[in-house]
Every structure is written in structure tokens, then in C-alpha cells.
Amino acid sequence: MDRLSLETLGRHLQSLRMARGWSLSGLAAAAGVAKSNLSRLEQGNGNPTLDTIWRLAVQLNVPFGNLVAPIRVPVGEEGVQVRLVDQGGDDPRVDAYWMSCAPNTTRMAEGHTPGSVESVTVISGELEAGVTGNSQYMRAGESHTFAADSPHLYRTQDAWATLLVTIVYQKGDQES
């Protein structure tokens, strides 16, 4: 992530934390992130992982998209890139993401907020996705919907995969 995007993410994260009355120590502990790492992130330094951003979003009770909305570049790590495409303003809240996965990549995702549901549509390539232990193999044009509040995975084989991912948050569960 470039410097400007990191600074934007840091300022936005800090404003959300403060608006919700969280101390730096409290949010770090609740999200399982080192206080020093959260401090660096809020200062626009560091290189946050997707899991770190997800855990912070869950603890702040906001969609992942709310943390990355001000950023115009994809967020990624280890062969996976994610970019927010759009956020709905209705209830239930729906976020849409473009995701790209490199060949031979396995991304293990933590569960999202309770009651959230994820739908994955493969745009190109092939991919296995879904709840750990109950995933589905898909090709271009195929979709799979699963409970996103449980650990889940995305796994490619020998080729790139491009996906459209939507997450529907439980009605009334997420703040703007």
C-alpha cells in the first residue's frame, strides 16, 4: 500500500476508534493486535494485513469496506488483492469487492461479524471457496454463498482467479 493510502487509512481508523470511545490499548487487545502495531497503523506507518483490518472492523462494528473506503488502491497480502467496489447504504448493509488470487494461493479468512453472509462469483479462472470443511470448487460464471461468520477459505490451483465478492451484514448489525 502506498504512503498516502496508509496515512488515509490510519486517520480514518483513528477517527472511528475515537468516535466509538475505544482507547488504543482497548481496541488493540480486543482485536488481537499489538498496541504498537495499531499505533503505527494510525500514524500511517506499517503494512497491515487483511486479517488485521478485518479484526479491527469487527471490533469497531463497521463493515470492512468502511475502513478501506477512503483508499483507492487494492489491499492485499500473499497473493490476494481486494478492492472495495461499492457499499450499499440500506439495511441490511451490502458491500461489494473485487478480489484477485494468484496461482497456488490459499487464503484462510477469519469469521466476520455474526450473521454475515458472503457470496463469491468467479469472473475468471477457478477457485475453491467457502466455510472451512464445507467449501465449493467453482469455475468462471459459478457462485457460492456461505455463512461468513465462520472461518472460510479461498484456494486457487495453477491459475489466477478473479472474483466478485459480496458481503451482506445482518440487518441493523453494522453502523455506518
Side-chain angles (χ1 to χ4, degrees):
M1 193 179 307
D2 62 65
R3 179 80 178 161
L4 179 60
S5 296
L6 279 171
E7 290 172 357
T8 301
L9 175 64
R11 282 192 307 272
H12 189 56
L13 175 59
Q14 184 179 48
S15 69
L16 288 170
R17 176 181 60 78
M18 294 175 75
R20 283 155 178 75
W22 282 91
S23 68
L24 191 69
S25 297
L27 179 58
V33 175
K35 180 181 172 184
S36 59
N37 288 345
L38 180 56
S39 178
R40 280 195 303 275
L41 180 56
E42 286 189 357
Q43 294 170 16
N45 298 313
N47 190 17
T49 66
L50 290 172
D51 284 334
T52 296
I53 296 171
W54 274 112
R55 286 195 304 269
L56 291 167
V58 167
Q59 293 306 314
L60 290 168
N61 197 35
V62 297
F64 174 82
N66 280 29
L67 289 184
V68 299
I71 303 169
R72 299 291 178 225
V73 298
V75 177
E77 65 184 22
E78 300 175 10
V80 177
Q81 296 286 313
V82 178
R83 185 180 69 232
L84 178 68
V85 174
D86 199 4
Q87 289 185 291
D90 298 325
D91 196 4
R93 181 71 174 258
V94 179
D95 288 354
Y97 301 91
W98 164 90
M99 180 185 268
S100 178
C101 300
N104 303 307
T105 297
T106 299
R107 164 129 174 83
M108 301 300 296
E110 296 179 18
H112 307 322
T113 54
S116 57
V117 176
E118 188 164 323
S119 296
V120 176
T121 300
V122 178
I123 298 170
S124 65
E126 301 174 356
L127 176 90
E128 176 187 358
V131 174
T132 306
N134 191 26
S135 57
Q136 182 174 319
Y137 183 79
M138 298 168 285
R139 294 189 167 132
E142 297 178 336
S143 300
H144 179 50
T145 300
F146 54 91
D149 55 3
S150 298
H152 49 283
L153 64 87
Y154 310 88
R155 184 180 357 245
T156 58
Q157 293 181 358
D158 296 333
W160 283 87
T162 304
L163 328 168
L164 178 62
V165 178
T166 58
I167 301 174
V168 179
Y169 296 95
Q170 185 175 357
K171 191 172 177 112
D173 186 48
Q174 297 288 302
E175 299 177 24
S176 297

